[in-house]
Amino acid sequence: METSMNFQEQALFKESIKQGIPSDLPQAKPYPADANRAPKRKDILSVDEKQLAVRNALRYFPKEWHQELASEFAQELKDFGRIYMYRFKPNYHMKARSIADYPAKCQQAAAIMLMVENNLDPAVAQHPEELITYGGNGAVFQNWAQYLLAMKYLSEMESDQTLHLYSGHPMGLFPSSVDAPRVVVTNGMMIPNYSQPDDWEKFNALGVTQYGQMTAGSFMYIGPQGIVHGTTITVMNAFRKVLSKGENPQGKIFLTAGLGGMSGAQPKAGNIANCVTVCAEVNANAATKRHQQGWVDELIDNMDELVARVKSAQANEEVVSIAYIGNIVDVWESFYEQEIYIHLGSDQTSLHNPWSGGYYPVDISYEESNRLIREEPEVFKVKVQETLRRHADAVNKHTARGTYFFDYGNAFLLEASRAGGDVMAENGIDFKYPSYVQDILGPMCFDYGFGPFRWVCASGKPEDLDKTDAIAARVLKKIMADSPEEIQQQMQDNITWIEDAKQNKLVVGSQARILYADAQGRMEIAKAFNDAINSGEVGPVVLGRDHHDVSGTDSPFRETSNIYDGSRFTADMAIHNVIGDSFRGATWVSIHNGGGVGWGEVVNGGFGMLLDGSDAAERRLKSMLLFDVNNGIARRSWARNEEANFAIKREMARTPKLKVTLANLVEDDILNNLSL
Ligand SMILES: NC(=O)c1ccc[n+]([C@@H]2O[C@H](COP(=O)([O-])OP(=O)(O)OC[C@H]3O[C@@H](n4cnc5c(N)ncnc54)[C@H](O)[C@@H]3O)[C@@H](O)[C@H]2O)c1
């Protein structure tokens, strides 16, 4: 296979990987001027613990370097709250190369190296110098020594060895078998009583655990494409809930807030879903950046102008996305006064982090708010809570007129309720409004097994991505011809998505693609890829998925929020998933604490699988993908979810060796007449 480097570059790169920790102490280097540095972490360790953190860090290096490195690492701990070992960051450019460029004894190891480097590519990663891929704290490794050692182990690995990574730390290569995973990743696995946010601060500062988020610590991040697709699916299906059959979203309003990391996908998704998106953003820089990147069509900073523009977009049935530079509460209130009807409403401000800049109060400038955060945090908190109450009141007025409002997994309803906002249902336990998983992704996608399947063309060639897009579209169309009514819409949405994917220009970093497919779709697409690799039509392909999926994640307020049998506070599904995938042929598996909603709030796992065109790859993909999806459907069906019950019965009919325990439903009357 072709390489993406000249001979000399390749030799140096390979040498550097194979060396691991260099034999000569590298020079300390200046911090790159253009890098986005991770925020300073909490100073949480006692003096003794700081000494322990430095002692831990020095374990990676020979004695003769200790004197020099000890003071440098102590300084890093002081300045940044963590020891990143900046001077050991390799000099080569970090990016997903062609699989052929990696020094490896087995292709599976080379594929993993490619995916690791993609997660650390400065074009992809949020804080690349600190080995953070996304979400502010989603780490690939804790420090550069771990990266160097892991890559060295991968370069030496044979196809009957397994590398065990403990929160980024390469414990070592262990003999295993050709069918075992090549890498097993755990991130942030704690004794349950040690899973409070400050435990992460402490044990991460000690260098003994890390927050892997979801696809960061499992080497499966593919840039913003994943979130654009998920948001598109959500917005399209939300419109289906509110429009009559055959009605078009054109000219209909989706009002939301936030143009940050994930929230910035909303206007692009709104355009793909064919509606009018109005997205408020208080930070003018964030809004301007998204406008310059082409993720939002128009930028308006004046309310009268916004009202006039939105009225004309409604009247002309336009498809357009508009960023309003200002506070979302002003938009909800003005649109009410101006009698602008909002079909869909949501919010993606960062309310998981309300007191330090995740959510800005109304009637106070952005700059003044930032001053309050620093100098008068108690005043800021009061202002945020007042705003949340106003926000909830304005939403309630619109929903009384017919707006469909959903929580977008950002803790809006939780924080509004804590602030005393009118968002509780009559029973005083539930919220008035559903979350996007409870109402949309759960019943319409996850319960049927549809979830964020993805792949990366390991040759690095855009032509391979085009060919795999075409193969996936062909397979989905064939399956759709015989699909039951219940899943036709999901099939069609994903066929449209894959057919338009290239023109939507979503690739950043590796040649990757995402689409939502169920078990049958994922298996048949993967089998068709493997055949195409075998015939030489395309190079090797890495399969994976986001952890935000049917089976991989136990998260009571997000992925499993539509589980109503009480089991949403358990994490058995995610654990079974990672163990089950590992002995069914995954090339690597990972299991994490945290991810999306926070440390201690979720357990999530994922996998990667290299397809190389071999018979063994075909056997593995069939066995593993079947389990990877149906494990979650079985659990959702046992929780009495109707759609999952339909899907698992269908799968059992298709797969005679699958025998799942089905739930018997009890009549309400029997329960209502009990004296309890
Ligand atoms: N997109 C998804 O599918 C998804 C899924 C689950 C959770 N989330 C949640 O969505 C939230 C947003 O994520 P992000 O990565 O975009 O965060 P982010 O912090 O990068 O962006 C949030 C933006 O909201 C803006 N903002 C804050 N208060 C505002 C206000 N009152 N009016 C207008 N703008 C305001 C901020 O300036 C910021 O730019 C997070 O809580 C995340 O966990 C998103």
Side-chain angles (χ1 to χ4, degrees), residues 294-352:
W295 285 58
V296 61
D297 302 325
E298 298 175 18
L299 209 52
I300 295 180
D301 61 3
N302 172 292
M303 185 58 76
D304 294 338
E305 209 183 303
L306 179 71
V307 166
R309 179 66 189 96
V310 166
K311 284 185 173 171
S312 76
Q314 274 185 316
N316 299 328
E317 301 200 348
E318 287 180 54
V319 174
V320 66
S321 50
I322 304 165
Y324 170 68
I325 302 178
N327 200 292
I328 181 62
V329 176
D330 287 327
V331 185
W332 281 105
E333 291 180 346
S334 301
F335 282 17
Y336 186 77
E337 279 159 28
Q338 297 292 327
E339 304 206 341
I340 294 177
Y341 184 74
I342 299 166
H343 276 79
L344 290 188
S346 195
D347 191 88
Q348 263 195 52
T349 56
S350 277
L351 272 160
H352 68 272

Side-chain angles (χ1 to χ4, degrees), residues 280 613 660:
V660 167

Side-chain angles (χ1 to χ4, degrees), residues 59-78:
R59 280 186 281 193
Y60 290 101
F61 306 103
K63 251 184 164 20
E64 51 284 15
W65 298 354
H66 285 183
Q67 189 65 45
E68 184 171 349
L69 291 181
S71 50
E72 185 170 309
F73 291 169
Q75 194 63 42
E76 282 189 27
L77 194 58
K78 200 177 207 162

Side-chain angles (χ1 to χ4, degrees), residues 280-484:
E281 169 56 65
V282 281
N283 179 348
N285 287 338
T288 310
K289 185 171 150 200
R290 288 301 184 192
H291 185 238
Q292 283 165 349
Q293 288 170 336
W295 285 58
V296 61
D297 302 325
E298 298 175 18
L299 209 52
I300 295 180
D301 61 3
N302 172 292
M303 185 58 76
D304 294 338
E305 209 183 303
L306 179 71
V307 166
R309 179 66 189 96
V310 166
K311 284 185 173 171
S312 76
Q314 274 185 316
N316 299 328
E317 301 200 348
E318 287 180 54
V319 174
V320 66
S321 50
I322 304 165
Y324 170 68
I325 302 178
N327 200 292
I328 181 62
V329 176
D330 287 327
V331 185
W332 281 105
E333 291 180 346
S334 301
F335 282 17
Y336 186 77
E337 279 159 28
Q338 297 292 327
E339 304 206 341
I340 294 177
Y341 184 74
I342 299 166
H343 276 79
L344 290 188
S346 195
D347 191 88
Q348 263 195 52
T349 56
S350 277
L351 272 160
H352 68 272
N353 174 29
W355 319 128
S356 19
Y359 182 83
Y360 282 80
V362 69
D363 295 338
I364 301 178
S365 73
Y366 184 65
E367 293 70 26
E368 172 62 4
S369 293
N370 286 334
R371 189 196 66 76
L372 288 177
I373 294 172
R374 282 192 312 272
E375 296 170 17
E376 297 177 71
E378 284 311 312
V379 176
F380 183 77
K381 190 170 174 178
V382 170
K383 297 286 174 200
V384 163
Q385 293 193 318
E386 277 170 18
T387 302
L388 278 166
R389 289 194 292 274
R390 245 171 90 175
H391 196 156
D393 286 345
V395 168
N396 290 340
K397 284 185 184 167
H398 281 272
T399 57
R401 281 182 181 167
T403 298
Y404 172 68
F405 184 86
F406 60 95
D407 185 283
Y408 216 146
N410 65 336
F412 170 73
L413 292 175
L414 182 68
E415 287 305 331
S417 69
R418 286 176 177 163
D422 178 13
V423 292
M424 298 310 290
E426 272 174 25
N427 66 11
I429 302 168
D430 300 319
F431 295 125
K432 265 187 192 187
Y433 303 110
S435 81
Y436 73 119
V437 174
Q438 278 178 302
D439 240 22
I440 305 167
L441 282 190
M444 293 164 120
C445 297
F446 294 163
D447 287 355
Y448 287 115
F450 284 85
F453 178 63
R454 57 183 56 175
W455 66 90
V456 170
C457 295
S459 65
K461 291 186 192 163
E463 314 85 272
D464 274 11
L465 189 59
D466 295 346
K467 288 179 199 162
T468 52
D469 282 350
I471 293 171
R474 196 179 68 224
V475 171
L476 289 183
K477 281 183 188 161
K478 189 173 137 279
I479 301 176
M480 189 177 162
D482 299 320
S483 291

Side-chain angles (χ1 to χ4, degrees), residues 65-131:
W65 298 354
H66 285 183
Q67 189 65 45
E68 184 171 349
L69 291 181
S71 50
E72 185 170 309
F73 291 169
Q75 194 63 42
E76 282 189 27
L77 194 58
K78 200 177 207 162
D79 293 344
F80 313 115
R82 298 290 185 272
I83 301 171
Y84 298 109
M85 311 180 181
Y86 289 117
R87 81 153 77 193
F88 289 93
K89 184 182 176 205
N91 292 327
Y92 52 80
H93 185 60
M94 204 66 72
K95 62 170 187 179
R97 293 163 163 76
S98 160
I99 191 169
D101 290 335
Y102 293 93
K105 295 182 179 162
C106 71
Q107 282 234 311
Q108 293 186 328
I112 298 168
M113 287 194 244
L114 178 165
M115 299 294 284
V116 166
E117 276 208 291
N118 188 59
N119 270 24
L120 294 171
D121 179 345
V124 171
Q126 186 182 18
H127 305 301
E129 300 296 311
E130 288 79 24
L131 304 104

